[in-house]
Amino acid sequence: MTSTERLRFGVDLVTFFHPDFWDVKDYDGIIALSRNEPRVFWDKILDAVQASGVTGVELTFSPFNWQDATKTYGSVEAFAAELSRRGLTLASGFFAELEAAGDFTEADAQAAIIEKAEKYAEFLKACGSDIMVIGAPLRQTLGAQPVRFYDFEQARKIADFLNRLGATLYAKGIRLALHTEAHSIFAAARDVDLLMLLTDPAYVHMCPDTAHIIVAGSDPLQVVERHHERVIIAHWKDALGPMPADTPIDEHIHDRHRPYFCGFGLGRVDWPGWTRLLRDRGYDGWAILELDAAADPLSDIANGLKLVRQALLPIYR
């Protein structure tokens, strides 16, 4: 098997969440366009993905989610056909409901999350994907009152739910992969170690995001070295360095992340080391070249893919 067969490259659609790409003034303009001209909106995205040279798509939050895609093209089958005629594959789908759920330790909240995840799983399976990437709950701003400690007992409760969610998805042919979202309970090295310890490896897998791990103050190579057997998909992304420990964690945290992300190969990620690690651990699967809200996503993705092919794939061989 060649390196290009072992590694398949895709992009998360959050990459297209920049006003410049849509020739609008702000993010509200993007939302308005997606609602007013949904077919133009989605065709432009899929055409850009095809033109960039990657072959996989990861769906994410609205207006880039599975409900929007289904509504735009009329059915799940029609959306799958639009991917297929462009030579694209649905690599995975990002499930953001857990992060937004607040206190999901209540039985009713958990039941609602599982119901949403089951519907999403059916869509993914129908489109030929078997991976659901899920964001973990956010941490609390340092020093906030009343203090909520992310200790063993709290982690155990969350792990119990993730185990049950993973088993539910497995029954539908879908694998659950936790995403290392900076400022969540699953990004810094200690937090990843704790949740990996407490979850069942048969049902809970991992989606490391190199940039988010760096923003969280940890080393993605060290984190993945310890848990490589859990990795079923990975986000390849670069970052300038860690964010301050006292960064406010609120509804704007994802906007605060963006200045710390940078073009592929321009940040702190040791890409040759990362490639050797995945090679030596026998990783086969999707590499999602994610760029948060890129102004020129087509060029950025194409340039990143060029760097990968010229500098990194020879290592993987």
Side-chain angles (χ1 to χ4, degrees), residues 51-65:
S52 74
V54 300
T55 59
V57 170
E58 180 174 275
L59 298 178
T60 184
F61 55 82
S62 185
F64 313 102
N65 67 13

Side-chain angles (χ1 to χ4, degrees), residues 213-226:
I213 294 173
I214 286 175
V215 168
S218 295
D219 182 338
L221 275 70
Q222 292 180 5
V223 170
V224 171
E225 173 65 50
R226 291 197 293 274

Side-chain angles (χ1 to χ4, degrees), residues 80-241:
E82 290 293 329
L83 291 174
S84 180
R85 75 179 184 86
R86 293 175 172 87
L88 301 176
T89 299
L90 185 62
S92 50
F94 190 88
F95 184 74
E97 299 293 335
L98 199 62
E99 180 183 314
D103 183 6
F104 62 90
T105 57
E106 297 294 330
D108 290 347
Q110 292 187 0
I113 292 170
I114 288 176
E115 182 180 4
K116 291 177 181 178
E118 285 183 307
K119 292 178 181 178
Y120 198 179
E122 292 167 359
F123 167 88
L124 292 172
K125 193 67 176 177
C127 288
S129 174
D130 70 341
I131 297 175
M132 184 183 296
V133 179
I134 185 168
L138 291 174
R139 269 186 163 275
Q140 185 184 42
T141 301
L142 185 65
Q145 297 293 330
V147 177
R148 296 195 311 270
F149 297 112
Y150 179 51
D151 55 12
F152 185 90
E153 183 58 27
Q154 182 67 8
R156 187 195 60 76
K157 293 177 183 177
I158 294 170
D160 175 69
F161 174 69
L162 290 172
N163 285 336
R164 290 187 287 112
L165 178 60
T168 298
L169 294 177
Y170 180 83
K172 291 187 172 292
I174 300 297
R175 295 178 292 168
L176 171 65
L178 280 176
H179 178 258
T180 56
E181 184 79 23
H183 297 99
S184 77
I185 61 168
F186 191 72
R190 174 268 191 187
D191 292 353
V192 172
D193 291 345
L194 181 57
L195 210 49
M196 287 287 93
L197 172 68
L198 294 173
T199 50
D200 190 327
Y203 296 107
V204 180
H205 309 280
M206 179 179 177
C207 173
D209 184 308
T210 47
H212 278 279
I213 294 173
I214 286 175
V215 168
S218 295
D219 182 338
L221 275 70
Q222 292 180 5
V223 170
V224 171
E225 173 65 50
R226 291 197 293 274
H227 305 289
H228 62 86
E229 73 282 358
R230 308 284 288 270
V231 177
I232 60 172
I233 188 170
H235 287 182
W236 292 31
K237 188 158 116 186
D238 223 332
L240 298 173

Side-chain angles (χ1 to χ4, degrees), residues 13-19 22 27 30-31 61-64 258 293-294:
L13 296 192
V14 70
T15 301
F16 298 93
F17 198 51
H18 195 291
W22 300 102
Y27 296 114
I30 299 175
I31 302 300
F61 55 82
S62 185
F64 313 102
R258 286 177 183 148

Side-chain angles (χ1 to χ4, degrees), residues 42-50 73 82-83 86 88:
W42 276 90
D43 281 351
K44 181 174 181 177
I45 291 174
L46 298 184
D47 288 345
V49 173
Q50 179 188 24
Y73 292 109
E82 290 293 329
L83 291 174
R86 293 175 172 87
L88 301 176

